[in-house]
């Protein structure tokens, strides 16, 4: 049995356990909390999206759509329609950004007057205008196909303005210029500082 009896050994063991019990309990609780956090972060519907939600909040995105179509109106009339692979609406609802246009049209009096192909189009609801930074292609109904850079569309005045250079192809002829204004009310296209080749038919 030794010097100490079984009762005394049991008491000493109990004292040691009581001394270390808070530390053991604390370690178990911390480990459980870490495991629960990682588990819930992966499975909870908001846990996995936390980083994306914070990123969207910082970038100012209020609504996001994939492969959707939006129709713009001015004074109750359709003035444009864009279907894009992705559409972002700013948190203040002012800007609508279309990425990778699938089908874009400019409309006057209920009729499509031109189609627009662009990587990015921005609608500013405050001023009611469409802009397409960078390169775009505009095909005017019964008119030329225009490769343009930096365009603006005013649906109320049915006017298309290009400020970054333009290349027009029609009937085998090619025209290039620094600025273009297409006025669909007057049915006129004006190109400034024109150069190019006009093919004379046989």
């Amino acid at each position: 049995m030794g010097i100490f009896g079984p009762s005394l050994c049991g008491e000493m063991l109990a004292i040691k356990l009581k001394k270390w019990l808070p530390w053991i309990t604390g370690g178990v609780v911390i480990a459980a909390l870490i495991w629960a956090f990682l588990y819930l972060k992966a499975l909870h519907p908001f846990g996995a999206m936390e980083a994306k939600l914070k990123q969207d909040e910082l970038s100012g995105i209020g609504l996001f759509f994939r492969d959707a179509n939006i129709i713009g109106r001015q004074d109750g009339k359709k003035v444009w329609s864009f279907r894009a692979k992705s559409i972002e609406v700013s948190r203040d609802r002012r800007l609508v950004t279309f990425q990778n246009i699938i089908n874009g049209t400019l409309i006057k009096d209920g009729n499509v007057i031109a189609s627009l192909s662009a990587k990015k189009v921005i609608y500013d609801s405050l001023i009611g205008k469409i802009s397409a930074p960078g390169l775009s292609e505009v095909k005017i109904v019964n008119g030329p196909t225009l490769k343009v850079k930096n365009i603006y569309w005013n649906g109320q005045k049915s006017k298309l303005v290009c400020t970054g250079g333009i290349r027009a192809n029609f009937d085998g002829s090619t025209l290039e210029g620094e600025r273009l204004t297409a006025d669909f009310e007057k049915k006129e296209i004006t190109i400034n500082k024109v150069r190019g080749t006009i093919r004379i038919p046989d």
Side-chain angles (χ1 to χ4, degrees):
M1 298 291 296
I3 301 175
F4 302 103
S7 176
L8 184 58
C9 289
E11 289 178 3
M12 292 178 66
L13 182 60
I15 292 172
K16 287 184 178 181
L17 287 175
K18 287 182 179 179
K19 181 180 178 180
W20 291 103
L21 187 60
W23 294 97
I24 296 172
T25 305
V28 172
V29 170
I30 291 173
L33 288 174
I34 293 174
W35 179 86
F37 174 79
L38 295 175
Y39 181 80
L40 291 175
K41 186 176 181 181
L43 297 182
H44 194 276
F46 292 106
M49 295 176 61
E50 182 180 5
K52 183 180 184 306
L53 289 173
K54 286 184 177 179
Q55 182 180 3
D56 288 351
E57 183 178 353
L58 290 174
S59 61
I61 299 174
L63 296 172
F64 179 81
F65 305 94
R66 288 190 183 278
D67 192 10
N69 185 77
I70 293 182
I71 297 173
R73 297 178 183 273
Q74 196 88 37
D75 298 328
K77 297 180 180 180
K78 295 180 181 179
V79 291
W80 53 262
S81 174
F82 290 109
R83 184 176 188 87
K85 291 184 178 178
S86 66
I87 301 174
E88 298 172 357
V89 181
S90 63
R91 294 175 64 190
D92 60 3
R93 304 298 190 267
R94 173 178 175 177
L95 300 178
V96 181
T97 303
F98 302 85
Q99 300 277 7
N100 297 315
I101 303 297
I102 299 173
N103 182 26
T105 57
L106 306 180
I107 303 169
K108 179 181 180 297
D109 297 331
N111 299 313
V112 175
I113 54 178
S115 60
L116 172 63
S117 175
K119 287 186 176 180
K120 184 176 183 179
V121 170
I122 301 171
Y123 171 64
D124 189 331
S125 62
L126 185 63
I127 60 177
K129 292 183 180 179
I130 287 282
S131 63
L135 296 174
S136 305
E137 182 175 287
V138 179
K139 175 65 176 75
I140 298 176
V141 175
N142 300 324
T145 298
L146 310 173
K147 294 191 180 293
V148 294
K149 186 176 181 180
N150 300 340
I151 64 170
Y152 302 88
W153 167 248
N154 186 327
Q156 188 174 21
K157 296 182 178 180
S158 298
K159 185 176 290 187
L160 180 71
V161 177
C162 165
T163 61
I166 174 253
R167 180 182 178 89
N169 297 311
F170 57 97
D171 297 333
S173 302
T174 301
L175 294 177
E176 295 181 357
E178 293 185 4
R179 180 183 173 90
L180 171 142
T181 301
D183 191 328
F184 292 95
E185 288 286 352
K186 298 180 180 179
K187 296 183 179 179
E188 293 179 349
I189 296 178
T190 303
I191 303 176
N192 300 100
K193 296 185 178 181
V194 181
R195 59 188 180 276
T197 303
I198 298 178
R199 185 173 298 279
I200 301 174
D202 296 332

